[in-house]
Amino acid sequence: MRLGLALGYWGRGPDPRHVELAVEAERLGYDSVWTAESWGSDAFTTLTWIAAHTRRVRLGTAVAQMAARAPAATAMHALTLDHLSGGRMLLGLGLSGPQVVEGWYGRPFPDSPLTATREYVEVVRQVLRRRAPVALDGRYHPLPYDGPGATGLGRSLKPITHPLRPDLPVLLGAEGPRNIAQTVRIADGWLPLYWSPLRTGLHTAALAAAPEGFMVAPLAQARLCADVAEGLRPVKAMLGFYIGGMGHATRNFHADLMARMGFAGAAERVRSLFLAGRREEAIAAVPSEFADEISLVGPRGRLAERLALWRAGPITDLLVIAGDVKTLRVLAELNA
C-alpha cells in the first residue's frame, strides 16, 4: 500500500505549510501529493506550485470538480501540468452535488449523473490520446456543440499540444453503488471519500471487476496523539459539515453514504441538527465509532494496529490528511 499526502483545499487563505509538508512527504518516500477544490481555491494552481518544489512525487487532484470546467479544459490543465512536472500528473475528478453545481457554478445538475460522468471522461480521454479530432454525440457534453443557440460553425479539433502521456491516469470520486461500478469500468482508479477497513465487503462485488493496476485510494485523516477522543475532534467536525452542510435536506450524497455504511440514524440526526443551525450539537452527534473507523488517530502503537487493517484490504494508496510532519513520519515508518 502506497502512501499519499492529501492537502485538500484552502480555508480562508493559503496554508503556508502545504509546500513544506509536500516536500517532507516526498523526502519520506510518499508516492503522491493531492489537492482539492470546493468553492474557493482551485486544485490545479496549488498543485502546479507544489510541482515546482518537488521532483519525484506524483501529483493528483482529489478532486477537481467537473462542473467547474468543460471536459476539454480539464484535459488541457492535466496535459499541461503533466508536461511541466515530467509525467507526474494524476487526474482525479468528481461531479459534486446539486447544491454546488447549481449554486456555485450556475449550471443544472445532470438528471443522469452516470451519463454525464461517462461523457466527461470520454472527452478527456480523447483529448489526451490525440488520435483524431475530438467528437462526441453526447447528451451533456456534445462536441462540436450543436444545441440551442449554436451557430453551426463549430468544428472538431485535436489539441495543438501533444500530450506527454496518452494514458495519463484518470480517477473518479464516487459514492453510490452504481457510480462505483461505473468507475471500475471507465476509470483508472477510485477515490473513496469515507473508507472503513472493517466494512470492505460493501465494495467486494464492484472491485472484483477492476482491471489490473486499478487504484483504490481513499482519503483518511490521521493524527499522532495520546488522546484518541481529542484526536477524533477534527474528524467529527469534518463529518458534521459534510453530512449536515454539504447538501440539502432532501438530497445529500455524503449522508446517504454514511447510512449505507451502517449509521443511517446517526446520519439523519447530524443532518437535522446542522440544518437547524445547531452545528456544535451536530458535530457531537457524529458517532465516535464511525469517525474512528474512517481515520487513523492515536499513539504510535494504535496507529500501527489501525494501519495494518487498512493494508489488509484492497487499498492500493492511502491518501493521508495530516497537518504535521511528525504524523507523516510515523506513518511512513510504520508502512515501510
Side-chain angles (χ1 to χ4, degrees):
M1 184 181 72
R2 297 175 293 243
L3 292 179
L5 169 64
L7 295 172
Y9 44 79
W10 296 351
R12 180 172 297 185
D15 191 325
R17 304 170 301 165
H18 278 183
V19 169
E20 174 192 349
L21 289 171
V23 170
E24 181 64 13
E26 181 174 66
R27 191 190 71 78
L28 290 169
Y30 279 61
D31 178 76
S32 56
V33 174
W34 303 73
T35 57
E37 59 190 11
S38 53
W39 49 90
S41 60
D42 78 278
F44 290 101
T45 306
T46 307
L47 199 61
T48 303
W49 186 247
I50 291 169
H53 289 80
T54 55
R55 293 291 176 267
R56 175 196 58 78
V57 71
R58 294 196 291 173
L59 307 158
T61 54
V63 295
Q65 294 180 334
M66 296 185 214
R69 307 162 190 87
T74 295
M76 290 167 62
H77 276 294
L79 74 85
T80 301
L81 184 47
D82 202 43
H83 270 291
L84 292 175
S85 66
R88 294 189 278 151
M89 180 69 197
L90 297 162
L91 180 59
L93 301 170
L95 189 60
S96 194
Q99 293 73 28
V100 175
V101 173
E102 297 181 1
W104 182 248
Y105 295 114
R107 54 190 307 171
F109 188 78
D111 54 3
S112 179
L114 292 180
T115 301
T117 298
R118 188 166 58 250
E119 290 182 8
Y120 199 103
V121 171
E122 173 59 26
V123 172
V124 169
R125 298 278 202 202
Q126 286 192 40
V127 173
L128 294 174
R129 289 168 180 159
R130 202 180 178 274
R131 294 174 181 168
V134 179
L136 182 70
D137 182 18
R139 176 177 172 187
Y140 298 100
H141 302 289
L143 285 173
Y145 176 74
D146 59 358
T151 64
L153 302 177
R155 54 177 293 191
S156 296
L157 301 169
K158 292 171 68 174
I160 296 170
T161 305
H162 291 229
L164 181 64
R165 292 183 298 161
D167 58 349
L168 187 154
V170 177
L171 299 88
L172 294 174
E175 296 183 39
R178 294 175 60 218
N179 200 353
I180 296 169
Q182 174 173 271
T183 296
V184 170
R185 293 194 303 270
I186 70 173
D188 302 299
W190 173 35
L191 296 161
L193 179 61
Y194 307 142
W195 179 277
S196 168
L198 305 179
R199 303 172 193 271
T200 58
L202 289 170
H203 312 297
T204 300
L207 294 179
E212 184 177 355
F214 186 83
M215 293 176 64
V216 179
L219 293 87
Q221 290 198 49
R223 185 180 176 189
L224 177 68
C225 60
D227 188 334
V228 174
E230 181 64 26
L232 288 176
R233 284 183 183 275
V235 183
K236 297 177 75 170
M238 175 274 294
L239 285 168
F241 176 62
Y242 272 69
I243 301 301
M246 292 280 276
H248 187 268
T250 62
R251 195 167 191 181
N252 184 314
F253 300 137
H254 307 314
D256 294 344
L257 174 58
M258 183 176 171
R260 284 194 299 274
M261 295 177 73
F263 297 88
E268 181 55 37
R269 177 164 174 75
V270 171
R271 180 165 55 179
S272 298
L273 288 168
F274 198 97
L275 293 176
R278 298 157 64 181
R279 297 192 175 194
E280 291 304 317
E281 292 179 64
I283 292 171
V286 174
S288 295
E289 177 188 359
F290 182 61
D292 194 31
E293 283 188 25
I294 66 170
S295 63
L296 292 104
V297 171
R300 183 185 178 103
R302 190 172 194 271
L303 289 183
E305 295 173 0
R306 303 291 295 178
L307 194 63
L309 291 175
W310 291 72
R311 288 168 59 101
I315 295 173
T316 61
D317 300 76
L318 175 60
L319 310 187
V320 176
I321 305 169
D324 66 282
V325 170
K326 184 176 291 187
T327 297
L328 295 180
R329 184 179 301 121
V330 167
L331 289 176
E333 292 170 356
L334 295 175
N335 195 56

